[in-house]
Amino acid sequence: AVQDDTTTAARLTIAPGKSPPAADGTKLAHKEKTFLTDQSYRDPPSTQTRADTFDEFWAGVLSALESGATPSREILQDQRKSGYLLTQLRFRSLDNVWIWSYFLRPENSHGVPLVIHTHGYNSEADIMWRWAERGCAVFGFDVRGFGRSRSDTLPIAADGYVLTGIDHPETSILRGAVADYLQAIRVAAGLSPERPAITVLYGRSFAGALAAMAQALSHAGDFLVCAVPTFGWARGRRLLSNAGSSGEINAYLRTYPERENNVLHTLSFFDPVNHADAIRCPVLGGIGVEDPVVPAATTYAIFNQLHCPHELREFPCSHTLQPEESLWTHYEREWLDYTMHGLPEEFGQPVTGSR
């Protein structure tokens, strides 16, 4: 198990609605940023920035997805291998975009847990055999514009994926990306031979943000596993990171500084900080203290908005090449154990020494 040791992988258990106390001796990864010098990275000065049309916007997305009784899908390939069934398929998502996906399950998979996942930024979904080997049914997919879901009919902005359609929330590709996760949930439910024992929404980095927003909007998961979710606290992330999608946004705004307010307005619709308080299922969150792509302060900005039972696991680093990245295997082992055997009764409750 992950130990209560901030020098390796800290186990932080947080009462609903409360932030953890700062650990002695913690340092900001970017301490030169003066607006955070007097703050712990665990308690960033972030606030929700929901636009007046936020709820109406997302109600429209949900309505568009649910207008059809069953999402259209096409089987691409069926395989049987060593006691497992693997189906590769594509399904139709928002705006008639086809999304590649797979469904992997043990041959005797009645009533087993279902895990739904996607991939990181500029990546594609791996087929997660090791999760199936633990006894899970697994549904994974490539978000529009990535991997096997790329299409000539959906051009991506030359200066970065996140900038595609950035002028308006309605045209932003992130609208479609969240919709793809929502639609994947519906497709996976339709493929399962019977109701799963538990439905887990899993995501890390880009996928972590999509999973969190999809859960907030659908309440479809029984358990959310959300590691280093990106897009949190858009204004603060601009100052703390210049890598990944944040680097693309910063480069764009150096060229078009007059568009900053408009860009941040669009991003506010896809900021998990503005969705987190709608999540009601248990959440296991993961944070990397040193992370050049998703700074710890931006992940805490999201998790500090949760009002559901949740626990956070803090690791020395993420999105790096450091050897301590291997400690994340603790996190995977833990959430899979919870998925297969259930959450402990005390999950999300205060522990001795917490506030």
Side-chain angles (χ1 to χ4, degrees), residues 86-288:
L86 173 61
T87 300
Q88 296 187 54
L89 65 151
R90 65 176 191 162
F91 63 86
R92 199 181 291 275
S93 186
L94 190 68
D95 301 327
N96 291 317
V97 174
W98 284 102
I99 301 300
W100 178 92
S101 60
Y102 78 89
F103 186 44
L104 175 65
R105 66 278 191 203
E107 286 194 72
N108 299 315
S109 59
H110 296 284
V112 302
L114 170 65
V115 180
I116 300 171
H117 77 103
T118 187
H119 52 81
Y121 199 65
N122 290 326
S123 186
E124 62 182 41
D126 292 328
I127 297 177
M128 300 306 296
W129 288 95
R130 67 178 182 269
W131 297 352
E133 290 166 357
R134 284 292 306 268
C136 298
V138 187
F139 186 92
F141 66 98
D142 288 353
V143 175
R144 64 183 61 204
F146 289 129
R148 291 142 292 193
S149 295
R150 287 194 185 99
S151 170
D152 292 339
T153 63
L154 184 67
I156 304 302
D159 37 7
Y161 179 92
V162 72
L163 297 168
T164 306
I166 194 66
D167 290 341
H168 303 284
E170 293 80 4
T171 58
S172 170
I173 198 166
L174 297 181
R175 169 180 173 268
V178 177
D180 294 344
Y181 207 120
L182 290 165
Q183 193 77 317
I185 294 168
R186 301 179 70 209
V187 174
L191 290 170
S192 300
E194 61 182 61
R195 183 177 177 83
I198 180 176
T199 297
V200 179
L201 304 192
Y202 171 90
R204 180 184 174 101
S205 191
F206 175 62
L210 299 184
M213 289 185 276
Q215 177 61 24
L217 293 163
S218 70
H219 306 293
D222 302 298
F223 182 33
L224 173 63
V225 181
C226 188
V228 291
T230 193
F231 300 137
W233 188 25
R235 189 176 294 275
R237 186 171 177 238
R238 276 206 65 211
L239 300 176
L240 291 171
S241 172
N242 200 35
S245 60
S246 185
E248 294 170 355
I249 292 164
N250 286 346
Y252 178 79
L253 291 178
R254 282 194 296 271
T255 304
Y256 305 105
E258 72 280 3
R259 300 180 185 178
E260 179 171 12
N261 287 339
N262 189 61
V263 166
L264 291 175
H265 171 76
T266 294
L267 292 175
S268 72
F269 287 80
F270 313 105
D271 187 336
V273 169
N274 294 328
H275 291 264
D277 62 357
I279 297 171
R280 299 189 177 92
C281 72
V283 177
L284 184 67
I287 301 104

Side-chain angles (χ1 to χ4, degrees), residues 36 50 63 67 111 123 221 225 278 282 291 296 301 312 327-328:
L36 273 179
R50 288 194 192 103
S63 177
S67 59
S123 186
V225 181
D291 189 325
L312 306 184
L327 290 168
W328 281 94

